[in-house]
């Protein structure tokens, strides 16, 4: 019998995050700081809207692009949040999570051999999705001393005649880094100079703790060459509802819609009705969650400083990226030992690329009680290492 499997897929390693979740699942009394999932319930009014849609029997397919009412709300949200105007009929597409948006956008932009520039450490799906789209991932190692921001010099050094797409993910998973307008202006200038298309993953846009989020699409000359990915999972605590969106130029969005039609038909109908309420009526709930995350962020930064763990003050998402280089262990060794010896699950920085070596991703999408217990276990482990 011939090998029934795709070589492209079998050669692709599984997510580096999954290893530690699988280990934790076999243990008792594990405190996990590994999952990037809000610990809040979806706001009640959103859940009620979903239930009400079921009561009304609104369970059929929607338009491939998504409910027009939801697309109108997304367009209104983009206008008030980043000052960008998108046509809800032709430039907005509702997707099955931000993950579908990333995958579909790459597949619609890339021809075999096109290079995709990936500032690293980077979200785990960008590289495999690039490879599955016949693109060539080109990593740009980011530096701790720059707070893991992408600089114009780093970007320009990586650009070649084959460079086509730049993926930006700020606020960033895994580092928590943000990019200000001043940071983004020279990046935009290079994108225009070298005719790059930018995929801007802004799923954590609502979770910024230093001023307002700025989208690169809002800078001069960038709207026509930027595809924005966003969604409901993080800011609205709607991970299981599997709903996201894509905003971009009609030329690109119409092709993403074509792929979406054949692959998925439409996003979940119940989720779409619930999401209308999330965008329209839940700004207060989002603000409350953001404030809670900020308090947890500040607590962990203070504790890391007390424990002598170097960690820049990340201003976005719900992750910190502390250095463990002084302990003489690799990221994988540190994460493996601490889960075995202290029942504390964290993610090694190398799960997000080689540039993450020497760091851990710590999620603070957990209760303050869990974070306090995690610090007790972390401190105990560090004392053993120092001894």
């Amino acid at each position: 019998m011939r090998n029934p499997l795709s070589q492209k897929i079998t050669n692709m390693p599984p997510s580096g995050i999954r290893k530690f979740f699988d280990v934790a699942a076999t243990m008792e009394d594990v405190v996990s700081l590994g999952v990037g999932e809000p610990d809040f319930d979806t706001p009640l009014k959103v859940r009620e809207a979903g239930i009400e849609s079921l009561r009304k029997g609104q369970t059929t397919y929607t338009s491939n692009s998504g409910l027009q009412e939801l697309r109108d709300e997304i367009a209104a949200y983009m206008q008030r949040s980043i000052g960008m105007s998108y046509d809800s009929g032709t430039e907005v597409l509702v997707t099955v999570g931000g993950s579908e948006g990333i995958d579909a956008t790459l597949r619609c932009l890339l021809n075999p051999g096109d290079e995709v520039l990936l500032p690293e450490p980077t979200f785990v799906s960008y590289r495999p999705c690039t490879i599955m789209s016949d693109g060539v991932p080109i990593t740009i190692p980011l530096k701790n001393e720059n707070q893991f921001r992408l600089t114009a010099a780093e970007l320009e050094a990586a650009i070649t005649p084959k460079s086509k797409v730049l993926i930006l993910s700020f606020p960033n998973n895994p580092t928590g880094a943000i990019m200000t307008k001043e940071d983004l202006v020279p990046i935009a200038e290079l994108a225009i100079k070298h005719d790059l298309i930018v995929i801007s993953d802004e799923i954590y846009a609502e979770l910024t703790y230093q001023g307002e989020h700025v989208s690169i699409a809002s800078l001069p000359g960038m709207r026509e060459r930027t595809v924005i990915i966003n969604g409901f999972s993080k800011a609205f605590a709607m991970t299981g509802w599997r709903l996201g969106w894509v905003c971009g130029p009609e030329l690109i969005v119409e092709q993403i819609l074509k792929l979406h039609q054949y692959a998925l038909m439409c996003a979940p109908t119940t989720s779409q009705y619930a999401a209308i309420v999330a965008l329209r009526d839940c700004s207060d709930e989002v603000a409350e969650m953001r404030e809670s995350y900020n308090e947890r962020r500040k607590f962990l930064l203070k504790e890391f400083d007390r424990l002598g763990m170097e960690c820049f003050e990340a201003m976005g998402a719900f992750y910190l990226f502390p250095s463990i280089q002084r302990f003489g262990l690799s990221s994988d060794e540190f994460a493996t030992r601490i889960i075995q010896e202290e029942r504390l699950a964290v993610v090694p920085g190398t799960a997000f690329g080689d540039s993450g070596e020497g760091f851990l991703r710590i999620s603070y999408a957990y209760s303050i009680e869990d974070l306090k217990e995690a610090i007790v276990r972390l401190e105990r482990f560090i004392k053993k290492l120092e001894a």
Side-chain angles (χ1 to χ4, degrees):
M1 177 181 175
R2 72 176 70 186
N3 185 345
L5 301 175
S6 160
Q7 185 176 350
K8 184 190 299 183
I9 304 302
T10 54
N11 288 344
M12 190 171 296
S15 166
I17 301 175
R18 181 52 50 192
K19 170 183 174 181
F20 293 90
F21 292 167
D22 291 344
V23 171
T26 67
M27 297 178 171
E28 296 182 357
D29 190 34
V30 172
V31 173
S32 176
L33 301 186
V35 182
E37 181 171 27
D39 66 324
F40 296 98
D41 292 330
T42 302
L44 179 59
K45 64 184 73 171
V46 176
R47 286 177 275 152
E48 289 177 338
I51 293 168
E52 182 62 20
S53 76
L54 293 173
R55 288 199 181 104
K56 291 179 177 179
Q58 295 170 320
T59 56
T60 60
Y61 295 130
T62 71
S63 160
N64 296 133
S65 297
L67 291 168
Q68 184 61 56
E69 187 178 4
L70 175 56
R71 284 181 282 142
D72 289 343
E73 288 297 334
I74 290 170
Y77 171 83
M78 297 296 280
Q79 181 66 60
R80 66 177 180 265
S81 64
I82 63 171
M84 296 296 296
S85 176
Y86 288 97
D87 186 318
S88 65
T90 60
E91 296 180 318
V92 178
L93 169 64
V94 181
T95 60
V96 181
S99 297
E100 187 215 342
I102 293 163
D103 178 48
T105 301
L106 283 167
R107 287 203 272 167
C108 290
L109 290 177
L110 298 178
N111 293 306
D114 287 340
E115 292 179 350
V116 178
L117 302 168
L118 301 176
E120 188 187 272
T122 189
F123 181 52
V124 293
S125 77
Y126 300 152
R127 184 181 183 88
C129 284
T130 295
I131 294 170
M132 288 189 287
S133 302
D134 292 322
V136 179
I138 304 296
T139 58
I140 306 175
L142 304 183
K143 297 179 177 61
N144 187 29
E145 55 264 34
N146 294 332
Q147 297 190 341
F148 293 100
R149 291 178 163 98
L150 175 64
T151 68
E154 291 167 339
L155 175 58
E156 190 152 37
I159 294 172
T160 77
K162 295 183 178 180
S163 301
K164 185 174 185 180
V165 174
L166 167 65
I167 299 184
L168 292 179
S169 175
F170 294 95
N172 182 262
N173 176 10
T175 65
I178 64 170
M179 295 275 281
T180 65
K181 182 177 181 179
E182 290 70 27
D183 297 323
L184 289 169
V185 165
I187 303 300
E189 291 171 351
L190 285 174
I192 295 169
K193 175 182 176 182
H194 294 280
D195 196 21
L196 300 177
I197 303 299
V198 176
I199 299 176
S200 185
D201 185 349
E202 302 183 17
I203 193 73
Y204 294 99
E206 286 284 355
L207 303 181
T208 59
Y209 314 107
Q210 177 182 290
E212 297 294 325
H213 168 73
V214 177
S215 172
I216 195 169
S218 66
L219 301 182
M222 291 305 297
R223 187 193 189 282
E224 60 266 32
R225 62 176 64 252
T226 302
V227 178
I228 296 177
I229 310 293
N230 208 324
F232 297 86
S233 293
K234 310 302 182 178
F236 297 95
M238 293 177 67
T239 53
W241 298 77
R242 303 315 305 131
L243 206 66
W245 73 79
V246 171
C247 287
E250 180 179 356
L251 175 72
I252 298 174
V253 172
E254 68 178 350
Q255 298 306 314
I256 302 173
L257 171 60
K258 187 192 303 181
L259 179 58
H260 175 78
Q261 287 171 335
Y262 289 126
L264 291 156
M265 182 66 74
C266 67
T269 301
T270 305
S271 300
Q272 292 192 55
Y273 279 107
I276 292 169
V277 174
L279 287 175
R280 186 181 290 161
D281 297 330
C282 289
S283 58
D284 289 345
E285 288 86 344
V286 171
E288 289 171 8
M289 288 187 276
R290 181 169 54 243
E291 181 56 34
S292 179
Y293 291 136
N294 194 23
E295 291 303 314
R296 303 174 197 186
R297 180 185 71 91
K298 290 186 285 188
F299 167 76
L300 282 182
L301 284 169
K302 182 179 178 180
E303 289 299 306
F304 289 160
D305 183 62
R306 181 178 67 81
L307 296 176
M309 292 181 68
E310 179 192 354
C311 185
F312 81 97
E313 187 175 2
M315 287 291 185
F318 37 56
Y319 307 107
L320 293 174
F321 209 60
S323 170
I324 54 161
Q325 294 171 10
R326 75 178 183 91
F327 301 114
L329 298 176
S330 71
S331 297
D332 194 80
E333 289 169 336
F334 191 104
T336 300
R337 282 190 56 182
I338 199 168
I339 194 172
Q340 292 173 342
E341 298 176 28
E342 295 293 342
R343 300 293 196 269
L344 176 60
V346 296
V347 181
T350 46
F352 308 95
D354 293 342
S355 302
E357 181 57 84
F359 297 86
L360 303 174
R361 189 191 77 170
I362 303 291
S363 170
Y364 50 89
Y366 296 90
S367 69
I368 196 69
E369 290 75 20
D370 283 342
L371 297 181
K372 288 178 178 178
E373 176 59 26
I375 290 297
V376 170
R377 300 183 186 199
L378 177 61
E379 183 171 14
R380 194 162 57 215
F381 182 66
I382 288 174
K383 287 181 177 178
K384 283 193 289 185
L385 294 181
E386 293 175 334

